[in-house]
Amino acid sequence: MSERLEISVEKLSALIEDLNLDQRACNRLSSAGIHTVSQIIAKGKPDVLAIRNIGPLLANRIFSAVADYLGVSEDILEDDGITQLALKEKDKTLDPLNVSIVTLALPNNLILLLRKAGISRIEQLIKFRSNNYENNNLFGKVEARKIERALRLFVEDLDKKKMPQTATPQVAEENQNTEFSSLKNLDLVLNSLRLNERAWLVVELRSVRLLTLEEIAVEIGGVTRERVRQIIDQVNEKIRAKLSLLLFFYDYLNGRTEIIRKKLKNKGATIEFLASECKLQLADSNLIATDEDLERFIAIIRLLAISNKPWARERFGTERKNFTFLVCLVEPSIEKHAKVNQFLEREKEKNRQLSHKEIAYLVLSEAKRPLHWREIVEKAYKLNKRDHFETRALYHALLNHDDLFVRVGKGTYELVEWGHKQAKPYPDVIAAVLSQERRALPFDKILVLVSSIRSIKQPSLFMYMEMHPRFYKAINNLYGLRGWLPPREKQNLRTPEWLVEDSKSHERLERAKQRGYDVDSIIREDKLL
């Protein structure tokens, strides 16, 4: 009897993790809904033996561990007084956050890691979670994601089972109990930050209106720039202390970022509109928030992005970057945010009026293959990058910018940066044919020889032979290179007819000179041949 009286209520309400049991035994008991010492005693050895995968040896080990923990002999556990005391304690509401981490249904290796880190209960995990595992090298990103997912499922399952909501762990620095429902009620979460009206005003001025510290000091009045900075630092630290509560909302919205972003695409993406869309998404969850709560929540995230603290950068800039990016992008956008700035620059570039040269470059870059100039024109027109688009202007851009474009076939162009050589212009091909023959040729012969090198239409060849200053037409209707012709003053009756230029051909040359053609430089190479 004296042993029974020495058993304290605190020991009866202890968790099974406090016993000297292996993980296998804890897993078996937790799966049967047994989480405390009092529940083991109230169930009794026969009922414990009836639990699946618990045999006589394991049952004896469990009750031996209970007796050792209570400091009594194992026989005392069957005493009616002990049993009644255990039943009375068992019927008390169990704090859902005080249960074992085994209830999270995590793999054994993660359970072992958590226990190695000194975490055996849900409440300890929530405290540890606020540090985002950063101070413990036991957890990698994969392990952290699995634990986070299991914890979210646990919280959602509490509502489905309608388990009683009791107090969460006491936060040491604030000495304040927060209702478990605060994990799901954004108003309670924000209140737990304990920010006064001036602090909220500073958050709004800094993260919503994007004022500088000096401008905030003037707006509030009676404070210095340094005092504003101190207030912001204090707010950041309070957010950091309560981060585990904020992350339940953050993770839920982060998973629905794409849905929200599509709705914001064609509308005024303001903070108010984003808050209303977030509220619509929360309607399908067990999370509670008003528009005003969500606007403050968004302001907090924007403040963290602006402050750019290392711990905030890790949590919101890397792991939860999608929702952070969206929050920073809405008007007024935080352009100092790297990804937001890149996005805005891309949008600005996308909406800029491009030149015909830039449009041609863009078309070929996207096609990643040579295109005929007519196909380039067709694709360029569909891009709608200019208010006034001209086919001729784009064609001339392809011709005149040999630093960007290279002609690789008949009317076909690609980018110089792809490394292919420029196809010889037709005048060069024609000149090469005549140079090889070393004499003037009839038009039909030139057509055959040039076509064997590159396909050319008869009218096009005729245009080159008649109009290009590099070529001349002789009095016997043959065509040759102008560089071959002797000066007109030295021509006489002994000069072969194929080296005497026709008068009309000479007139066309004079007109070319009048239009500014430097004929001497054009025919210089031919003279050397």
Side-chain angles (χ1 to χ4, degrees):
M1 180 66 68
S2 60
E3 285 182 310
R4 175 170 63 83
L5 292 176
E6 291 175 358
I7 298 175
S8 66
V9 174
E10 287 76 12
K11 284 195 172 185
L12 286 176
S13 62
L15 295 180
I16 57 175
E17 280 73 23
D18 295 335
L19 304 176
N20 188 22
L21 291 172
D22 57 26
Q23 186 176 341
R24 176 173 170 269
C26 291
N27 290 347
R28 298 290 180 268
L29 292 171
S30 295
S31 63
I34 299 174
H35 302 289
T36 63
V37 172
S38 62
Q39 289 175 330
I40 295 175
I41 297 173
K43 205 165 187 66
K45 187 176 288 188
D47 289 340
V48 170
L49 274 168
I51 297 173
R52 185 180 178 183
N53 294 327
I54 292 184
L57 289 177
L58 183 55
N60 289 336
R61 209 158 59 241
I62 290 171
F63 277 86
S64 175
V66 171
D68 289 343
Y69 179 75
L70 296 177
V72 298
S73 61
E74 195 170 331
D75 296 338
I76 297 296
L77 299 180
E78 299 178 3
D79 182 86
D80 289 340
I82 294 291
T83 303
Q84 291 299 321
L85 192 61
L87 285 170
K88 183 178 179 182
E89 188 63 30
K90 167 184 171 292
D91 291 336
K92 289 184 179 180
T93 300
L94 179 65
D95 185 344
L97 298 184
N98 201 30
V99 298
S100 169
I101 55 173
V102 175
T103 57
L104 296 179
L106 288 167
N108 288 340
N109 65 317
L110 289 183
I111 296 293
L112 288 173
L113 283 177
L114 287 170
R115 285 180 172 163
K116 191 173 181 180
I119 302 168
S120 60
R121 308 180 187 184
I122 299 293
E123 64 177 9
Q124 293 172 329
L125 178 57
I126 291 177
K127 278 186 177 181
F128 184 77
R129 177 181 185 268
S130 66
N131 293 325
N132 204 37
Y133 317 100
E134 66 177 5
N135 297 321
N136 199 306
N137 57 10
L138 293 174
F139 303 98
K141 290 186 177 181
V142 175
E143 290 82 4
R145 279 199 300 269
K146 288 181 179 179
I147 295 171
E148 291 292 289
R149 181 177 180 276
L151 186 57
R152 287 199 299 274
L153 292 175
F154 171 78
V155 174
E156 292 173 3
D157 194 50
L158 286 180
D159 273 355
K160 293 177 183 177
K161 295 179 179 179
K162 296 184 178 179
M163 292 182 67
Q165 296 177 349
T166 56
T168 58
Q170 193 177 54
V171 181
E173 65 271 18
E174 295 190 0
N175 193 26
Q176 176 188 10
N177 287 330
T178 306
E179 293 295 323
F180 179 68
S181 59
S182 67
L183 290 172
K184 300 166 291 180
N185 191 323
L186 186 55
D187 181 51
L188 296 178
V189 171
L190 296 177
N191 286 338
S192 70
L193 295 176
R194 301 175 68 85
L195 300 181
N196 56 34
E197 285 304 315
R198 186 172 69 169
W200 278 118
L201 178 58
V202 170
V203 171
E204 179 186 356
L205 294 174
R206 183 65 171 146
S207 65
V208 177
R209 293 175 54 183
L210 303 181
L211 299 185
T212 63
L213 300 183
E214 292 83 355
E215 291 170 337
I216 294 173
V218 173
E219 185 80 14
I220 295 177
V223 295
T224 62
R225 175 191 183 281
E226 176 60 21
R227 180 55 188 150
V228 172
R229 186 195 63 77
Q230 291 173 1
I231 293 173
I232 292 176
D233 284 344
Q234 290 169 3
V235 171
N236 282 328
E237 286 306 310
K238 289 183 177 182
I239 293 171
R240 185 177 186 178
K242 291 293 183 178
L243 200 57
S244 59
L245 303 180
L246 290 167
L247 290 181
F248 278 101
F249 286 86
Y250 202 106
D251 290 341
Y252 183 88
L253 293 172
N254 188 61
R256 286 153 181 78
T257 300
E258 286 304 315
I259 300 174
I260 300 172
R261 188 171 177 178
K262 287 178 182 178
K263 293 186 177 182
L264 297 180
K265 189 173 182 180
N266 298 321
K267 299 184 179 180
T270 62
I271 292 176
E272 294 77 12
F273 189 78
L274 175 59
S276 64
E277 286 300 322
C278 291
K279 185 179 179 181
L280 291 177
Q281 294 301 316
L282 293 178
D284 297 329
S285 71
N286 58 357
L287 302 174
I288 304 168
T290 64
D291 286 345
E292 184 181 355
D293 294 336
L294 287 166
E295 286 178 21
R296 285 191 165 188
F297 179 63
I298 291 169
I300 285 174
I301 298 171
R302 288 167 66 91
L303 179 67
L304 294 177
I306 293 172
S307 300
N308 199 27
K309 300 288 185 181
W311 57 269
R313 188 165 59 246
E314 173 68 22
R315 289 165 179 74
F316 300 108
T318 304
E319 296 182 2
R320 301 168 176 89
K321 59 183 178 182
N322 293 335
F323 190 64
T324 302
F325 169 68
L326 184 60
V327 166
C328 293
L329 183 62
V330 295
E331 294 296 333
S333 58
I334 302 175
E335 295 188 16
K336 68 181 294 185
H337 187 284
K339 288 186 178 279
V340 172
N341 184 56
Q342 293 172 8
F343 177 83
L344 293 175
E345 287 296 324
R346 286 197 303 268
E347 289 295 305
K348 183 179 178 181
E349 180 65 22
K350 190 186 298 182
N351 297 325
R352 183 173 64 87
Q353 291 282 312
L354 301 183
S355 66
H356 290 89
K357 175 185 71 174
E358 291 172 322
I359 294 174
Y361 183 88
L362 180 60
V363 169
L364 287 170
S365 297
E366 292 180 350
K368 297 181 180 179
R369 62 182 178 85
L371 296 176
H372 190 273
W373 72 268
R374 292 190 182 277
E375 190 176 1
I376 296 174
V377 168
E378 182 181 347
K379 291 180 178 293
Y381 183 77
K382 291 179 180 178
L383 287 177
N384 194 27
K385 291 293 185 180
R386 284 187 63 83
D387 294 334
H388 303 289
F389 180 80
E390 296 182 12
T391 300
R392 181 182 298 177
L394 187 136
Y395 180 68
H396 283 297
L398 292 170
L399 287 177
N400 298 328
H401 293 281
D402 53 9
D403 58 326
L404 292 176
F405 311 109
V406 56
R407 191 168 108 179
V408 293
K410 184 180 178 181
T412 303
Y413 294 84
E414 66 175 45
L415 296 178
V416 170
E417 63 193 48
W418 295 348
H420 290 171
K421 293 182 179 179
Q422 177 84 33
K424 282 187 177 181
Y426 277 112
D428 289 346
V429 176
I430 298 169
V433 168
L434 291 171
S435 297
Q436 188 172 0
E437 295 294 325
R438 293 183 175 275
R439 60 187 177 86
L441 298 174
F443 179 82
D444 292 342
K445 179 67 173 177
I446 296 173
L447 179 61
V448 172
L449 293 175
V450 172
S451 297
S452 66
I453 299 174
R454 184 189 301 171
S455 176
I456 187 172
K457 293 182 179 179
Q458 182 175 333
S460 298
L461 179 62
F462 185 78
M463 180 188 68
Y464 284 121
M465 303 309 299
E466 288 285 333
M467 306 297 294
H468 201 286
R470 191 172 185 181
F471 311 110
Y472 72 92
K473 184 178 181 181
I475 57 176
N476 60 355
N477 292 326
L478 299 182
Y479 292 92
L481 291 172
R482 185 170 300 282
W484 295 343
L485 292 174
R488 290 183 69 82
E489 63 273 11
K490 293 184 179 181
Q491 295 180 14
N492 52 46
L493 293 176
R494 294 181 181 182
T495 305
E497 289 186 349
W498 64 275
L499 287 176
V500 179
E501 185 176 14
D502 178 78
S503 59
K504 290 186 177 179
S505 176
H506 183 70
E507 290 174 2
R508 287 194 292 270
L509 174 67
E510 293 302 320
R511 287 198 295 269
K513 289 181 178 179
Q514 291 174 6
R515 290 197 297 269
Y517 281 90
D518 186 358
V519 177
D520 290 337
S521 65
I522 292 175
I523 67 175
R524 185 177 296 119
E525 183 179 353
D526 299 330
K527 285 182 178 181
L528 297 175
L529 293 175

